[in-house]
Amino acid sequence: MKLLSIALISLIATNCWGATIEEDRKACETNEPAACFNLAMRYQSGDGVEKSLEKAEELFQRACDHEDGAGCNNLGVMTLNGDGVAQSTERAASLYERACSLNDFNGCQNLAGLYASGDGVEKSPAKAIEYYTVACEGQLGSSCNDMALLYLEGEDIQKDVPKAVENFSKACELNDAQGCSNIGLLYESGEGVEQSYEKAGDFFTKACELDLGKACNNLGILELNGQGRPQSYTKAAKLYQKACELEEFRGCSNLGSLYRDGHGVEQSMAKALEYYEKACEGELGDACGAVGAIYGRNETLKDEKKAASFFEKACSLDFGASCFLLGHAYENGLGVEKNYEKANEAYEKGCELNLKEACFTLGAHYMDGNGVEKSAERANTFYQKACDMDYGVACLSLGTNYSTGTGIEKSEEMAVKYYEKAASLGVTAAKLNLAELHYYSSGAEKSYEKAFELNSQACDAGTGEGCYNIGLDYQKGEGVEQSFQKAAESYEKACNLNYPLGCLNLGVLYWEGSGVPQSYSKANEFYEKSCEMGEPMACFNVAVNAWQGIGTEKSFPKAKKYYEKACDMQFGGACSNLGAMYSEGQGVDKSYSTAKRYYEKACDLGTGIGCADLGDLYEYGKGARQSYSKAIELYKKGCGLEDGTACGNLGEMYYQARGVKRNYGEAKNLFAKGCELGNGLACYNMGVLYTNGQGVKKSQSTAQEYLGKACDLGIEQGCKEYAKLNKSTSKKTK
């Protein structure tokens, strides 16, 4: 609530020019104080005589010397302001005191003002009250109002709201507009009186009729909101109009809003601009910002250069929102030349004005080094300020930096704290992060149930990742009773929210028939949808099924298309299979050189089978110059990537002494690893080693075991050898 006060010093005189200049001059020469006063007023204003402040001072002094209080008061005003006389607050106070002692209540009021401010006298609210009381009892409503303000503020005197109410009321009875407005504000807020919009409106009405613009504006607000009276945009508009005409620029701004929105007046952007611009000229920052917003957003009036200009003025008037928009304009080159440095200056001022969006954006710029020296430490400072103002995304960023130790000491506990605040502010990403911390027990209590709850909230908020996560929980039975049906429902919801992994996993459930009727065609449908959303594994699955004709018509062109998609998304397995298509000439012209290119990409992406197949090309000189050493290098890399084929191939190099010295022991180790990784040939070769006793102790049972594994993995020769050994064992048993 902002209360109104008049200026402490006022020049008030009542002079009805009943006498001529000559008559006043002659009367003054006979020491008639009223005539001296009247003549002083003429010289002060230049009315009928040549203006002369020196003459005015002399005549006010003569009037004062002859006990004319008004003369003492007016001379005090001249002295305080230094108008034609030496400025002296102390002398002014003395003159006001004499004026008051001569029952000039303006002098009492002005002296009270000096005691209230401590100008020329020792500050004393008690003394100010004393002199305001005299003036108020002398029917000066403005003194009643100013005394009420002292009681209300309670600075260096005991706060006394009832006395403030009493004196505001008296001021209003004496037709002091500010007193009426101030008592209206008390009724509006309910401070010291029973809250009543109706009574507030009555007092604002009287103050407005007394031409106080602020009161007209406040009454307009009550009409607009329907407080204490039926809502009326039309009446509000008329009151704002009057306030604006009385140079109350807030009224101009409010009227501009009505014209902008077409409330109570015919909608008109031109009129809105007219009134907003008038308010802007009156130094109202938000009005300047409103002008900028119209020029920036209205398609008909769009002028980005003007928008930036008004945002700049609004920012200079400390309207934080416009500082942010000015920063945005400089950052993106909207109506001004693109300039990150100026953008950051505007964001920083907006942040200083406590605009949380500006603080966050400035923090992001320090994180990325946009227009400033990159500094995670500085970024965290601005994130912290924005978070303290309840800007959830800033809390999320701060939590992330604590989690990773970026620009701040790593602390999972602090990460949890800020994620929790961000989550409470409705930031879904924070809920997902918190769920992950509870799932893995990183800085938060391990709780699958809590993770499920948070992911459910994220899902309910329309976030596909949250739906996908609860699908995983239902599928695994973590934090909730296992249910493949509910997993499928959750994945479908995630899929419908365009979360690709939701579509992928729903496809897997259809493939397996888990929670849904088994259907390869439905699986492919969801794989394709996931692929369209950019999930490479889904593209790979579509390609494999098209290659093999599972759930869809067998089609090498379709397989090639989807392998290429997945490979372009850096999915190594797809690149490797593309290489196989070109190596074998399946659906494409056979080309070892093209196969080599795809195998190289697969291997570079960390796909072991790609390294193995590339090694095979070098081993046999297909599409590349034969090189056992290069083949060995690639097999080693593939085996290190846990690819059974690569381990098995490398074992064969040691077994057959190709590019390395024959070493059955090393071959055995590599075959064993390859077999463990599911490579049937490696299992078969282990069976051969144990059959022949090469690098191992000869063992028919162990050989039979490995040959059986090879057979299970589709190696026909393994099946034959297993059968032979089995038959041989049976004969020995007989």
Side-chain angles (χ1 to χ4, degrees):
M1 177 181 68
K2 185 176 181 181
L3 299 177
L4 308 174
S5 173
I6 65 170
L8 290 173
I9 306 299
S10 60
L11 179 60
I12 301 174
T14 57
N15 183 23
C16 300
W17 308 111
T20 66
I21 296 172
E22 284 304 316
E23 287 173 339
D24 278 337
R25 185 176 283 118
K26 287 180 181 180
C28 181
E29 288 173 357
T30 62
N31 296 324
E32 174 58 47
C36 296
F37 178 85
N38 289 346
L39 201 55
M41 290 291 288
R42 288 183 182 275
Y43 276 108
Q44 190 176 36
S45 63
D47 183 8
V49 296
E50 184 178 352
K51 184 175 180 177
S52 172
L53 294 178
E54 291 78 8
K55 280 279 190 184
E57 179 206 3
E58 176 189 333
L59 291 164
F60 280 141
Q61 183 66 65
R62 185 179 293 184
C64 180
D65 290 344
H66 289 86
E67 300 189 351
D68 183 87
C72 300
N73 177 67
N74 284 17
L75 183 58
V77 172
M78 291 182 70
T79 303
L80 185 73
N81 295 331
D83 290 336
V85 297
Q87 198 281 335
S88 171
T89 309
E90 291 78 6
R91 185 183 174 212
S94 176
L95 287 163
Y96 292 148
E97 187 169 16
R98 178 161 171 73
C100 185
S101 69
L102 293 170
N103 295 321
D104 182 86
F105 299 119
N106 294 309
C108 302
Q109 173 171 279
N110 290 341
L111 181 59
L114 294 183
Y115 275 113
S117 63
D119 290 335
V121 293
E122 185 177 351
K123 185 174 181 179
S124 171
K127 279 279 190 183
I129 292 286
E130 177 186 335
Y131 285 104
Y132 277 140
T133 299
V134 173
C136 179
E137 290 174 354
Q139 307 302 297
L140 271 187
S142 55
S143 286
C144 305
N145 176 71
D146 288 354
M147 178 163 54
L149 287 171
L150 289 180
Y151 279 122
L152 190 66
E153 292 163 358
E155 183 180 345
D156 298 327
I157 61 169
Q158 186 173 353
K159 184 172 181 174
D160 193 329
V161 180
K163 280 190 177 180
V165 171
E166 176 189 337
N167 283 286
F168 282 142
S169 298
K170 184 172 181 181
C172 186
E173 289 168 7
L174 292 168
N175 291 328
D176 181 76
Q178 292 174 336
C180 297
S181 180
N182 286 343
I183 188 69
L185 290 170
L186 292 182
Y187 274 107
E188 184 179 28
S189 66
E191 183 175 1
V193 292
E194 185 178 349
Q195 198 274 343
S196 170
Y197 288 123
E198 185 176 355
K199 286 187 177 180
D202 291 341
F203 284 109
F204 289 151
T205 298
K206 184 172 181 179
C208 180
E209 289 170 352
L210 291 167
D211 290 340
L212 185 68
K214 284 182 169 61
C216 300
N217 180 66
N218 288 346
L219 184 59
I221 292 171
L222 294 184
E223 293 285 358
L224 184 77
N225 296 330
Q227 295 170 313
R229 61 212 54 240
Q231 186 187 50
S232 173
Y233 288 119
T234 304
K235 287 183 179 179
K238 290 178 181 178
L239 288 161
Y240 291 150
Q241 179 77 53
K242 182 174 181 179
C244 185
E245 290 169 358
L246 290 168
E247 299 295 303
E248 170 49 45
F249 297 112
R250 179 57 60 198
C252 305
S253 181
N254 288 344
L255 185 57
S257 296
L258 293 185
Y259 273 109
R260 180 194 64 195
D261 301 331
H263 290 155
V265 291
E266 186 177 350
Q267 199 274 342
S268 169
M269 280 298 176
K271 280 283 190 183
L273 279 175
E274 176 188 340
Y275 287 106
Y276 278 141
E277 287 187 18
K278 184 172 181 180
C280 180
E281 289 167 7
E283 305 292 280
L284 275 188
D286 58 334
C288 301
V291 176
I294 290 175
Y295 281 123
R297 298 171 188 165
N298 186 277
E299 289 303 320
T300 305
L301 300 168
K302 196 173 185 69
D303 186 328
E304 290 179 341
K305 188 173 182 179
K306 282 187 177 180
S309 173
F310 278 100
F311 288 147
E312 188 161 19
K313 182 171 181 181
C315 183
S316 72
L317 292 169
D318 293 342
F319 185 58
S322 286
C323 297
F324 176 75
L325 292 173
L326 179 63
H328 180 75
Y330 274 114
E331 183 176 351
N332 296 284
L334 303 175
V336 290
E337 188 175 345
K338 191 171 183 177
N339 187 317
Y340 270 114
E341 288 76 13
K342 287 188 176 181
N344 289 331
E345 287 175 12
Y347 289 140
E348 186 156 13
K349 182 167 183 182
C351 183
E352 289 168 1
L353 292 168
N354 294 322
L355 190 80
K356 53 193 176 184
E357 295 87 352
C359 298
F360 171 74
T361 303
L362 192 56
H365 281 198
Y366 272 104
M367 279 296 292
D368 298 333
N370 290 332
V372 290
E373 185 177 347
K374 193 171 184 178
S375 170
E377 291 81 2
R378 288 280 287 159
N380 288 331
T381 299
F382 290 108
Y383 287 154
Q384 182 71 65
K385 184 170 182 180
C387 180
D388 290 343
M389 290 186 279
D390 292 340
Y391 195 59
V393 180
C395 303
L396 171 67
S397 298
L398 197 55
T400 300
N401 285 352
Y402 268 113
S403 180
T404 58
T406 303
I408 203 163
E409 186 177 351
K410 185 173 181 178
S411 170
E412 292 292 352
E413 289 74 16
M414 292 298 287
V416 169
K417 171 186 173 181
Y418 285 104
Y419 285 151
E420 285 179 342
K421 182 169 183 180
S424 72
L425 292 168
V427 180
T428 303
K431 294 179 181 179
L432 293 172
N433 289 357
L434 268 177
E436 185 175 354
L437 294 180
H438 280 293
Y439 188 90
Y440 292 107
S441 185
S442 299
E445 178 190 1
K446 187 176 181 71
S447 171
Y448 292 140
E449 291 76 14
K450 186 66 176 176
F452 179 81
E453 177 188 342
L454 288 162
N455 281 320
S456 295
Q457 291 173 11
C459 180
D460 291 342
T463 302
E465 185 178 352
C467 302
Y468 167 76
N469 288 343
I470 62 173
L472 289 175
D473 290 338
Y474 275 120
Q475 190 171 356
K476 298 176 183 177
E478 293 177 335
V480 66
E481 185 177 348
Q482 188 179 47
S483 169
F484 286 105
Q485 182 180 344
K486 287 186 178 180
E489 291 170 0
S490 299
Y491 289 146
E492 186 165 18
K493 187 172 182 180
C495 183
N496 291 336
L497 289 168
N498 296 319
Y499 193 70
L501 290 176
C503 305
L504 174 65
N505 280 18
L506 184 57
V508 171
L509 293 185
Y510 272 108
W511 183 271
E512 298 171 346
S514 300
V516 290
Q518 198 281 334
S519 171
Y520 292 134
S521 61
K522 287 289 281 185
N524 285 328
E525 176 187 330
F526 286 106
Y527 290 154
E528 287 193 34
K529 188 171 182 180
S530 178
C531 176
E532 288 167 7
M533 294 177 194
E535 174 50 50
M537 172 65 83
C539 301
F540 178 80
N541 288 353
V542 173
V544 170
N545 291 343
W547 193 357
Q548 298 177 357
I550 302 176
T552 184
E553 185 178 346
K554 188 169 185 176
S555 170
F556 288 126
K558 184 175 180 180
K560 175 177 176 289
K561 172 186 172 182
Y562 280 94
Y563 278 143
E564 285 176 340
K565 273 191 174 186
C567 183
D568 288 343
M569 291 182 224
Q570 312 306 309
F571 190 76
C575 303
S576 180
N577 282 12
L578 263 176
M581 289 185 76
Y582 279 100
S583 180
E584 298 167 14
Q586 291 187 319
V588 294
D589 292 335
K590 191 169 186 176
S591 171
Y592 287 127
S593 60
T594 305
K596 176 175 176 288
R597 177 161 54 86
Y598 282 114
Y599 288 149
E600 284 175 340
K601 183 171 182 180
C603 186
D604 290 342
L605 289 169
T607 302
I609 187 62
C611 301
D613 290 340
L614 183 60
D616 186 77
L617 295 185
Y618 276 103
E619 183 179 356
Y620 296 102
K622 295 183 289 188
R625 180 178 294 182
Q626 187 182 47
S627 171
Y628 289 147
S629 61
K630 185 67 175 175
I632 288 169
E633 176 189 332
L634 289 163
Y635 291 150
K636 282 183 178 178
K637 182 176 180 180
C639 186
L641 291 168
E642 302 297 300
D643 180 72
T645 300
C647 297
N649 289 358
L650 185 58
E652 285 192 32
M653 300 297 278
Y654 280 101
Y655 184 80
Q656 297 179 14
R658 294 166 70 93
V660 289
K661 187 176 180 180
R662 181 176 279 109
N663 187 328
Y664 291 133
E666 187 63 25
K668 175 255 181 186
N669 293 335
L670 290 163
F671 289 149
K673 183 175 180 180
C675 182
E676 288 173 9
L677 292 169
N679 182 258
L681 282 175
C683 298
Y684 176 80
N685 288 337
M686 281 294 287
V688 171
L689 291 181
Y690 276 102
T691 299
N692 300 331
Q694 294 170 311
V696 293
K697 186 177 180 180
K698 199 170 185 178
S699 170
Q700 192 169 349
S701 61
T702 305
Q704 190 173 8
E705 178 187 340
Y706 278 107
L707 291 169
K709 283 185 180 181
C711 180
D712 292 340
L713 290 167
I715 304 301
E716 186 178 346
Q717 190 61 34
C719 299
K720 290 178 181 179
E721 295 298 328
Y722 177 83
K724 284 182 185 179
L725 286 179
N726 193 43
K727 187 176 181 180
S728 172
T729 304
S730 298
K731 284 181 180 179
K732 288 180 181 179
T733 303
K734 290 177 182 179

